[in-house]
């Protein structure tokens, strides 16, 4: 049974994380205006590399038709490239273009800088504690079935 105090603590923590989200992620829009779905696709290709459209749809948790529309728009803006697989001509492989990679490189650097600035009031030990708490929360929340694009924190720097 989940205790009410535990629920209250989780709500309070989520509100703090929401504020951190607003001061980092939302305060750091990419240089190109993209939709959330397009950003999810860009981040997935950035973190995991080229992949088939079906794998991309599955990873981003959207319908294949949505993926096709988003990729078409991103291709028109020269952020993504796509080609037919040489072995299976029915399969289309999407990858970031050079422009898309540079966009995400810059965006990631800005995110890191904003997060560092947001945590300036903490000691190194407190930052380590917060990072460990975030890893624990992520591990536990993954077990609940929540879905979102998870990028590798060791992405290109």
């Amino acid at each position: 049974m989940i205790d009410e105090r535990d629920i209250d603590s989780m709500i309070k923590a989520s509100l703090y994380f929401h504020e951190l989200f607003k001061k980092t992620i939302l305060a750091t829009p990419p240089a190109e205006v993209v939709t959330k779905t397009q950003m999810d696709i860009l981040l997935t290709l950035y973190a995991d590399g080229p992949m088939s459209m079906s794998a991309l749809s599955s990873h981003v948790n959207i319908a294949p038709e949505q993926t096709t529309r988003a990729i078409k728009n991103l291709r028109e803006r020269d952020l993504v490239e796509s080609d037919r697989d040489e072995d299976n001509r029915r399969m289309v492989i999407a990858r970031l273009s050079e422009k898309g990679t540079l966009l995400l490189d810059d965006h990631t650097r800005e995110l890191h800088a904003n997060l560092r600035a947001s945590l300036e009031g903490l000691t190194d030990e407190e930052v380590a504690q917060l990072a460990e708490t975030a890893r624990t929360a992520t591990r536990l929340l993954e077990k609940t079935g929540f879905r979102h694009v998870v990028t590798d924190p060791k992405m290109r720097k």
Side-chain angles (χ1 to χ4, degrees):
M1 176 122 196
I2 301 174
D3 185 271
E4 285 301 314
R5 289 178 305 176
D6 292 339
I7 294 289
D8 289 342
S9 294
M10 288 182 224
I11 290 170
K12 187 174 183 178
S14 69
L15 293 172
Y16 275 106
F17 272 106
H18 182 70
E19 285 302 309
L20 185 60
F21 171 76
K22 290 188 319 190
K23 289 185 179 218
T24 56
I25 307 294
L26 294 182
T28 313
E32 292 266 342
V33 176
V34 294
T35 66
K36 181 194 177 307
T37 297
Q38 290 168 345
M39 181 54 101
D40 288 349
I41 288 170
L42 291 171
L43 287 170
T44 298
L45 294 173
Y46 186 70
D48 298 331
M51 65 180 64
S52 71
M53 297 290 280
S54 59
L56 189 56
S57 293
S58 176
H59 193 87
V60 179
N61 199 31
I62 59 174
E65 298 80 20
Q66 287 179 282
T67 305
T68 300
R69 279 193 303 275
I71 289 292
K72 180 179 185 269
N73 182 280
L74 292 169
R75 254 193 355 254
E76 289 170 355
R77 296 163 61 194
D78 195 30
L79 296 171
V80 169
E81 300 169 347
S82 62
D83 298 303
R84 298 231 175 249
D85 184 77
E86 290 182 18
D87 297 329
N88 180 351
R89 300 296 296 164
R90 292 179 296 163
M91 186 182 305
V92 175
I93 306 296
R95 72 183 55 73
L96 284 181
S97 66
E98 183 176 341
K99 180 180 175 183
T101 301
L102 292 174
L103 174 76
L104 271 290
D105 284 344
D106 290 344
H107 182 63
T108 301
R109 276 191 293 277
E110 289 180 40
L111 282 173
H112 287 215
N114 272 355
L115 184 56
R116 281 188 183 89
S118 294
L119 301 178
E120 277 182 358
L122 301 179
T123 66
D124 289 347
E125 183 179 327
E126 290 168 332
V127 170
Q129 288 174 342
L130 182 59
E132 184 58 34
T133 300
R135 283 189 288 275
T136 300
T138 299
R139 180 178 48 77
L140 294 173
L141 289 170
E142 285 172 346
K143 294 174 76 173
T144 68
F146 284 123
R147 296 275 318 224
H148 65 93
V149 174
V150 179
T151 59
D152 184 347
K154 298 176 195 126
M155 291 189 297
R156 301 176 191 100
K157 294 186 180 178

